[in-house]
Amino acid sequence: MTFTPNFLFGQINQALAGRPPARDEVDLSHVRHIISGGEATVTATVRDFLAALAPYGLRQDVVVPAFGMTETCAGSVFNRDFAARDLRTEFPPLGRPVGGLRIRITDGEGRVVAATDEPGSADAGEVQLRGPMVTAGYFGDDEATAAAFTADGWFRTGDLGSLDADGRLTLVGRTKDSIIVNGVNYYSHDLEAALDELDDVRRGQVAAFPTRPDGADSEQLAVAFVPAGDAADDTAVYRAIVAIRSSTVMHWGFRPQLILPVTEEQIPRSNLGKIQRTRLRTAVEAGGLDAAAHRASEVSTRFLGVHVPPEGAAETALADIYARVLNVEAVPVTASFFDLGGTSLDVLRLKLEIQTGFGIDDVPMATLLQAPTVRALAGRLTGGRSAHGDIAYDPLVPLQVTGDGTPLFCVHPGLGEVLVFVNLAKYFTGERPFYALRARGFGQGESHFASFDEMVSTYVDAMRRTQPSGPYAVAGYSYGAAVAFEMAKRLEADGEEVKFVGVFNLPPSISGRMNEITFTDGAINLALFLELIAAADVEGLTTRLRGLPDADQLAYLIDQAPQRRLTELDLTVERFTAWVNLAQSMVHLGRTYEPSGSVARTQVFYCTPLRGTKEEWLNNQLRHWDDFTRATNRYTEVDGEHYTLMSPQHVQTFQATLRRELGRALAGQTADSADSADPAKSH
């Protein structure tokens, strides 16, 4: 029997990821239990750990999540049912108490809402304990002892939790380890579990805690972390800061006020290894971590440039809008909106605020994407050209331009737009440039592509203007995968090397699917993608709309959409109609497209399909890519469904997988060697 906090599972996973099993080195078949305590157990991390160590004889039911405190002689609650009941949860219940220990849950008024002899309430409250293993008090500190116990003798743990119908304890946070932002409670361990999965953060060495600067109306979030790479490497530190900021925005919906690169010694822990967040808060507010704040500012300045103030009325007004949208005090006018932390949703807010503030009917999305700095955008606006669409169609959108690695070019899905890549691109900061390719037809006066071949030629020409020679890396999401395949063929025919062709959940032949898509299907697919409707509404809407004239179908979808979402997207029935027509033009081009020829190899990323099971999708559809490559392909499973592959809840895991596969391909690893290096991740 042995014990570990969750972060060691993650460290072992990382250590084993690059090496094949060596079964003769270690025999783990005699391990009976591994108690997981000291911090929240993350089920996905444990699943990876069990898979990685299965070749060494480790049983799949050995891990036992547990709970205990110094005040309860450490372990006192154990989940022996984890392997049988809880492997699909994010955070498993901690189980039942040992004999003699009683648990009760009380609400904010001190009323008991559940107890071990009366479990089952779904309400969360303060976890209180009583039993012979609970301490009688704190040595030499009568005041602390009195504060720790209720009037009727129960020990107040400071944890928030609930008891299910079987009397199993689940924790949701700590009364002292939460951040209250604008009246909403956010629990530290929830964000820490997400950030702990980032490659740029050392496992188990990240802490989320509140701070309240003088004069602030609400608590603000601070994150302290130990970089996974060399702490003296500015690029590694900056990449970690960007990844933490981006992941926090997508996980909680707001940005950290402070992101602090620290050493392990600067993250205080109890004698059981639990992070003491109140001490971190005290250190920040007393100035003890000013050096870490200065370090973060220093590396950010290196990548974003020194602060350049606005000049003139247009730049000043735009800088104020940028700062308001990003919730910061000021922005340098030469820094990209995306480098400053802007997300895909922020771009939409920016568009709406600029139109309102400048009295412009429409600022084309391409203008915002291709002129993302205050200075560049002010030049477009004051030049009088933005009201008449894009100054010239350019398919290439530079979403992230730092790093000296081989650039990645990603082709739009069938809807033609590239906003879906905005959140993904951030994770490539300091590593390699990330360009998206946007369809023609969004700007006023722009025609749709007349043929599939014209689209491919246009995109290849744009790529080569930015990167004149190979090796190249291209990828495509859904429909875009077929375009990326043809682009790779064209580049190879020109004598260039294409080391990476990424396929995001699409088989090689698309004509059958394109011929199935009616005008109604296309309109509903776009509405679903834009979150104007829910997936559960699709069948009913399809029946209702199919017999109506096209214009009436689109008007109905806009009329039924939530007004809040239409406002976020700045979407009118006219703009929706134009977008549906562009998407229909993509469908039309795909109806006659049939793949032919070959590329060296593809990396296929697959998730839950629109129809059927994941296994059927992989074996009966996606593996046909083997017919169009000259070497062995690699098929990698990722989280999510077809339309949510890069949504905020899945982009963090998807980016890690994509970056790993891209790095292997560019380093020249074959699919066979990659499979043997990571058997749990490949197929």
Side-chain angles (χ1 to χ4, degrees):
M1 297 178 68
T2 187
F3 163 91
T4 180
N6 183 83
F7 76 84
L8 183 59
F9 291 135
Q11 290 183 344
I12 292 173
N13 292 343
Q14 284 185 322
L16 294 179
R19 52 180 287 186
R23 295 170 179 81
D24 296 333
E25 290 181 359
V26 179
D27 176 10
L28 299 178
S29 62
H30 295 284
V31 177
R32 293 168 53 204
H33 299 300
I34 301 175
I35 311 301
S36 174
E39 61 182 355
T41 299
V42 181
T43 306
T45 304
V46 173
R47 285 202 306 266
D48 289 345
F49 169 80
L50 293 172
L53 289 175
Y56 299 91
L58 188 71
R59 295 199 332 266
Q60 299 300 286
D61 63 350
V62 298
V63 175
V64 179
F67 166 78
M69 308 173 70
T70 307
E71 293 88 342
T72 64
C73 302
S76 52
V77 178
F78 299 91
N79 182 357
R80 300 285 296 275
D81 305 319
F82 174 61
R85 297 179 58 177
D86 305 313
L87 281 175
R88 307 309 301 178
T89 61
E90 184 178 8
F91 300 101
L94 297 171
R96 301 177 183 86
V98 296
L101 180 65
R102 298 164 64 199
I103 304 175
R104 74 181 187 186
I105 309 295
T106 63
D107 64 16
E109 304 298 323
R111 293 184 294 263
V112 178
V113 297
T116 43
D117 51 353
E118 292 183 23
S121 172
D123 295 334
E126 184 182 33
V127 178
Q128 299 178 355
L129 307 175
R130 192 167 192 171
M133 67 290 296
V134 178
T135 184
Y138 298 100
F139 179 76
D141 196 338
D142 293 338
E143 182 178 347
T145 299
F149 288 86
T150 64
D152 57 350
W154 287 72
F155 176 70
R156 307 181 64 179
T157 65
D159 287 294
L160 300 173
S162 61
L163 292 170
D164 66 16
D166 296 324
R168 301 197 307 165
L169 175 67
T170 295
L171 296 185
V172 299
R174 284 187 59 78
T175 54
K176 297 177 182 177
D177 288 344
S178 63
I179 299 103
I180 303 174
V181 178
N182 298 325
V184 180
N185 273 284
Y186 299 89
Y187 297 111
S188 298
H189 82 283
D190 174 51
L191 178 61
E192 289 167 357
L195 300 182
D196 202 48
E197 296 299 312
L198 294 172
D199 293 339
D200 306 297
V201 174
R202 190 172 300 176
R203 295 280 180 155
Q205 302 294 339
V206 59
F209 58 97
T211 181
R212 186 189 291 270
D214 292 340
D217 295 327
S218 176
E219 287 186 339
Q220 297 176 344
L221 171 64
V223 177
F225 76 100
V226 179
D230 182 358
D233 182 345
D234 286 357
T235 300
V237 172
Y238 182 65
R239 185 162 56 236
I241 290 172
V242 171
I244 288 170
R245 182 180 62 203
S246 301
S247 296
T248 302
V249 170
M250 286 180 278
H251 197 71
W252 275 356
F254 58 88
R255 295 167 181 77
Q257 183 69 18
L258 282 175
I259 302 177
L260 305 167
V262 298
T263 64
E264 287 191 33
E265 292 74 22
Q266 289 177 299
I267 298 182
R269 297 179 182 271
S270 70
N271 60 343
L272 285 181
K274 294 182 179 179
I275 293 173
Q276 296 178 313
R277 300 177 185 88
T278 53
R279 287 179 58 190
L280 274 169
R281 176 174 183 166
T282 300
V284 166
E285 294 176 354
L289 292 178
D290 283 356
H294 177 73
R295 171 75 169 133
S297 175
E298 181 182 59
V299 297
S300 296
T301 298
R302 178 187 163 189
F303 282 87
L304 296 176
V306 297
H307 182 80
V308 179
E311 297 177 357
E315 284 191 8
T316 300
L318 271 180
D320 288 343
I321 291 173
Y322 271 50
R324 187 161 60 249
V325 170
L326 296 172
N327 193 29
V328 295
E329 290 186 5
V331 298
V333 298
T334 53
S336 164
F337 182 76
F338 305 111
D339 291 339
L340 292 167
T343 66
S344 56
L345 183 58
D346 292 327
V347 178
L348 300 170
R349 287 183 55 211
L350 181 70
K351 172 180 164 69
L352 188 59
E353 291 223 15
I354 290 173
Q355 289 169 181
T356 302
F358 281 76
I360 298 172
D361 289 337
D362 182 40
V363 177
M365 185 60 68
T367 300
L368 298 177
L369 294 174
Q370 293 171 336
T373 70
V374 167
R375 180 146 291 169
L377 186 54
R380 292 280 188 100
L381 297 180
T382 55
R385 294 167 294 188
S386 64
H388 306 291
D390 306 328
I391 55 172
Y393 169 68
D394 183 352
L396 212 59
V397 178
L399 293 178
Q400 198 292 116
V401 295
T402 62
D404 55 8
T406 300
L408 176 63
F409 297 85
C410 279
V411 183
H412 58 79
L415 303 176
E417 187 53 273
V418 299
L419 283 178
V420 69
F421 296 127
V422 168
N423 297 333
L424 176 65
K426 297 177 184 305
Y427 292 95
F428 290 79
T429 295
E431 184 175 294
R432 70 184 72 254
F434 188 112
Y435 297 95
L437 289 151
R438 189 173 191 257
R440 192 173 70 200
F442 284 102
Q444 292 184 20
E446 288 179 3
S447 62
H448 300 154
F449 287 120
S451 67
F452 208 91
D453 184 71
E454 182 193 11
M455 176 168 52
V456 171
S457 297
T458 301
Y459 293 170
V460 169
D461 290 346
M463 279 180 63
R464 301 202 73 165
R465 285 196 299 271
T466 298
Q467 185 188 345
S469 60
Y472 287 98
V474 297
Y477 181 15
S478 189
Y479 182 101
V483 184
F485 170 71
E486 292 297 328
M487 292 169 63
K489 278 172 50 184
R490 188 75 56 86
L491 289 164
E492 286 189 349
D494 291 342
E496 298 290 353
E497 182 182 21
V498 183
K499 281 196 168 185
F500 180 83
V501 182
V503 173
F504 300 165
N505 209 47
L506 187 88
S509 180
I510 63 173
S511 59
R513 174 60 181 156
M514 294 299 103
N515 281 300
E516 291 176 354
I517 298 176
T518 65
F519 181 88
T520 302
D521 296 328
I524 287 176
N525 285 343
L526 178 58
L528 184 64
F529 175 78
L530 296 175
E531 299 178 14
L532 305 181
I533 61 174
D537 301 331
V538 169
E539 185 175 350
L541 281 170
T542 302
T543 301
R544 173 184 286 272
L545 298 180
R546 209 176 281 287
L548 299 177
D550 292 353
D552 291 349
Q553 294 185 37
L554 303 182
Y556 184 87
L557 287 170
I558 292 296
D559 185 59
Q560 297 298 308
Q563 185 58 48
R564 172 194 58 80
R565 186 61 178 158
L566 294 175
T567 301
E568 287 177 350
L569 297 170
D570 188 31
L571 196 64
T572 63
V573 68
E574 292 79 15
R575 290 173 187 156
F576 185 62
T577 299
W579 200 339
V580 169
N581 289 336
L582 187 150
Q584 285 297 110
S585 77
M586 292 284 129
V587 170
H588 178 74
L589 297 183
R591 284 176 176 161
T592 57
Y593 170 76
E594 289 296 338
S596 63
S598 66
V599 296
R601 63 170 55 86
T602 62
Q603 273 80 18
V604 181
F605 302 82
Y606 70 97
C607 59
T608 301
L610 296 174
R611 294 187 297 232
T613 68
K614 196 179 292 186
E615 290 72 21
E616 292 169 342
W617 177 238
L618 171 64
N619 295 320
N620 301 336
Q621 298 286 333
L622 297 179
R623 287 198 184 276
H624 286 301
W625 280 109
D626 293 343
D627 300 330
F628 300 97
T629 55
R630 301 184 298 275
T632 304
N633 294 323
R634 182 168 169 82
Y635 296 86
T636 304
E637 182 179 358
V638 293
D639 293 335
E641 299 176 346
H642 186 77
Y643 287 116
T644 64
L645 184 66
M646 280 176 273
S647 62
Q649 65 265 41
H650 297 305
V651 69
Q652 183 176 308
T653 56
F654 180 72
Q655 63 84 19
T657 304
L658 174 60
R659 286 170 57 215
R660 183 187 70 233
E661 295 299 313
L662 179 58
R664 282 175 169 158
L666 293 173
Q669 278 189 274
T670 66
D672 290 338
S673 66
D675 285 352
S676 64
D678 194 1
K681 294 286 187 183
S682 59
H683 298 268

